[in-house]
Amino acid sequence: MSVEAAALDDATLVARSRDGDMRAYELLVRRYQGQMYRLALRVVGSAGDAEDVVQDVFLTAWRRLGQLNDDAAFVGWLYRTATNRCLNVLRQRRPVADVELDEQPSVAPRERPERAVEVSAQMDALAVALRALTPEQRACWVLREVHGRSYDEIAGAIGTTQQAVRGRLARARAQLAEVMAPWR
């Protein structure tokens, strides 16, 4: 893509995509696939499932672009679609896969080995704690704490009210704080 095409806003790219411009849609996919993958990975806990979710989300979005009333709302629409797809994946499977180890932050080689072990254990404990949350609580927590989405955006993505989002977040935070207390 040219520098000019990369500077186009989402609404313009969505409008062009709706008119059949594959390059415009390809740019949208490249622009947002990383965010959607990180969301899916944190919610479903499996790299393979996260990849499937992201692929499904972008195929669904392409097929349903004509249904999007506000071109500027594309990103919120993607988050809502991805979150719903993640929740469906979690509902379909009960035993939850472990979080991929390569997604955990690497420790600088200059750090003490004891610190690297401690950080790895903390990340493992967080992964276990996240899996213990309900799918809706996990989705709310990931959207808010990892992706920085507003309560309104989360409510739209999950299909609930802001009040329900606040309640789920409060319960998720309390549960995570309790489980992670030994790491303070």
Side-chain angles (χ1 to χ4, degrees):
M1 285 266 139
S2 68
V3 173
E4 179 184 314
L8 294 174
D9 67 352
D10 291 348
T12 303
L13 290 172
V14 169
R16 287 184 179 183
S17 298
R18 187 180 297 110
D19 292 337
D21 185 344
M22 289 293 292
R23 289 183 178 222
Y25 192 69
E26 182 181 326
L27 186 57
L28 284 168
V29 170
R30 278 194 257 138
R31 194 174 280 179
Y32 293 109
Q33 70 184 358
Q35 291 174 35
M36 295 303 112
Y37 177 76
R38 286 186 297 278
L39 167 66
L41 182 64
R42 296 278 184 191
V43 174
V44 300
S46 159
D49 285 343
E51 290 168 1
D52 291 345
V53 164
V54 172
Q55 183 177 15
D56 186 47
V57 165
F58 282 107
L59 283 173
T60 300
W62 172 253
R63 290 183 189 129
R64 296 183 180 167
L65 266 178
Q67 297 173 7
L68 183 62
N69 296 327
D70 179 6
D71 293 346
F74 180 74
V75 178
W77 189 50
L78 274 182
Y79 269 104
R80 184 171 48 258
T81 304
T83 301
N84 287 334
R85 183 68 188 116
C86 288
L87 292 174
N88 288 341
V89 166
L90 290 174
R91 287 180 190 116
Q92 289 171 357
R93 67 170 152 108
R94 273 299 138 200
V96 181
D98 289 334
V99 172
E100 299 293 326
L101 294 177
D102 62 347
E103 292 300 321
Q104 296 182 5
S106 62
V107 178
R110 293 185 301 248
E111 282 195 41
R112 301 182 330 263
E114 313 83 52
R115 178 68 181 139
V117 169
E118 182 181 340
V119 168
S120 179
Q122 281 178 317
M123 294 304 294
D124 289 344
L126 179 59
V128 169
L130 284 172
R131 285 194 305 268
L133 298 175
T134 67
E136 291 79 10
Q137 288 173 340
R138 187 182 328 168
C140 288
W141 189 88
V142 169
L143 285 167
R144 180 69 180 165
E145 303 300 337
V146 177
H147 289 269
R149 307 315 286 186
S150 71
Y151 293 115
D152 189 45
E153 290 171 315
I154 297 168
I158 302 220
T160 190
T161 65
Q162 282 188 28
Q163 185 176 0
V165 168
R166 289 179 193 278
R168 288 176 182 159
L169 277 170
R171 286 187 296 279
R173 287 173 179 151
Q175 190 172 338
L176 290 173
E178 182 179 329
V179 172
M180 298 304 291
W183 297 102
R184 287 189 171 171

